[in-house]
Amino acid sequence: MAFFRWGHPWSPLGDLEREVDRFLRGMNLSIHGIRPGRQFPAINIYELEHEFLLTAEIPGTDPEELELTVDAGLLSLKGDRNDVKEVPDDKFRRQERFRGNWQRTVSLPDRILEEELHAEFNNGVLLIHLPKAQQPEPRKIRIVDQQQSPSDTDESAQQTPEPPKPKPRNIEVHKEEG
């Protein structure tokens, strides 16, 4: 969705519109009536020696209200962040942290051991450990000569059955007392 449009058919203005739109998307500002603020936590992903590490700062979130799932190479984070209940809405003079339900989905790197994913939650920071899988060995691909006899082709056309697809699974979040 574009945030900035002049609606002029002259093509140089279209380029300017795209550049201003790209600039506004890169900013995390909430301009009332023009652009909503980000409604999900920012994340960082690091590549360490034996794992990728995803961190998300989500203070004010109860780890019991977090849901992490893995399915088809996608990691989904879902949660709910509530404000301090003692402060009514009309008392806010500035509110930059989002609140309410949020969801975020990120693509996992190809070399992840999904069975060994685990997560920790400590002082409002969620850490998701994504252990690296070993790099697969390069393999040769056999070329079938189509001019061979049919009996030779039938034997070579046998295919290996596909392994069953893994079912989506939830990741348990462990809360560390700190």
Side-chain angles (χ1 to χ4, degrees):
M1 179 176 96
F3 296 116
F4 179 77
R5 288 287 176 253
W6 281 342
H8 198 282
W10 192 37
S11 71
L13 288 179
D15 293 341
L16 178 62
E17 286 176 347
R18 281 188 290 279
E19 287 301 314
V20 170
D21 194 52
R22 187 177 61 81
F23 175 72
L24 290 174
R25 285 177 192 265
M27 298 171 48
N28 186 23
L29 294 178
S30 177
I31 304 170
H32 185 68
I34 295 178
R35 182 172 186 261
R38 182 178 35 209
Q39 296 297 313
F40 51 84
I43 62 170
N44 289 333
I45 300 176
Y46 307 96
E47 183 173 0
L48 305 174
E49 186 178 353
H50 300 292
E51 67 180 5
F52 292 95
L53 179 64
L54 183 147
T55 63
E57 295 177 5
I58 42 179
T61 301
D62 183 354
E64 299 295 324
E65 296 182 12
L66 288 173
E67 181 181 319
L68 307 175
T69 57
V70 176
D71 184 26
L74 298 174
L75 171 66
S76 295
L77 300 84
K78 189 186 301 186
D80 187 21
R81 179 160 51 189
N82 297 312
D83 285 330
V84 178
K85 295 188 178 11
E86 297 86 35
V87 180
D89 283 348
D90 62 341
K91 298 296 181 190
F92 279 98
R93 296 295 177 253
R94 185 178 190 114
Q95 186 174 17
E96 295 181 348
R97 288 185 6 194
F98 70 91
R99 62 183 172 171
N101 296 324
W102 56 269
Q103 182 172 355
R104 181 116 194 234
T105 301
V106 295
S107 297
L108 293 174
D110 290 339
R111 301 176 293 127
I112 295 296
L113 295 172
E114 290 186 9
E115 308 80 37
E116 296 182 17
L117 292 176
H118 61 281
E120 303 163 12
F121 190 79
N122 187 13
N123 293 328
V125 178
L126 177 67
L127 302 170
I128 303 175
H129 298 270
L130 310 162
K132 290 180 180 178
Q134 290 190 358
Q135 189 75 9
E137 295 290 325
R139 63 185 180 114
K140 290 184 176 183
I141 300 171
R142 186 173 154 213
I143 300 171
V144 176
D145 186 359
Q146 293 295 323
Q147 296 177 356
Q148 289 182 342
S149 67
S151 61
D152 293 342
T153 307
D154 289 340
E155 183 179 310
S156 63
Q158 292 180 353
Q159 296 182 354
T160 308
E162 289 188 30
K165 289 188 172 185
K167 295 181 179 179
R169 65 183 197 96
N170 291 327
I171 301 169
E172 188 173 319
V173 178
H174 298 281
K175 181 179 179 183
E176 291 186 1
E177 300 297 326

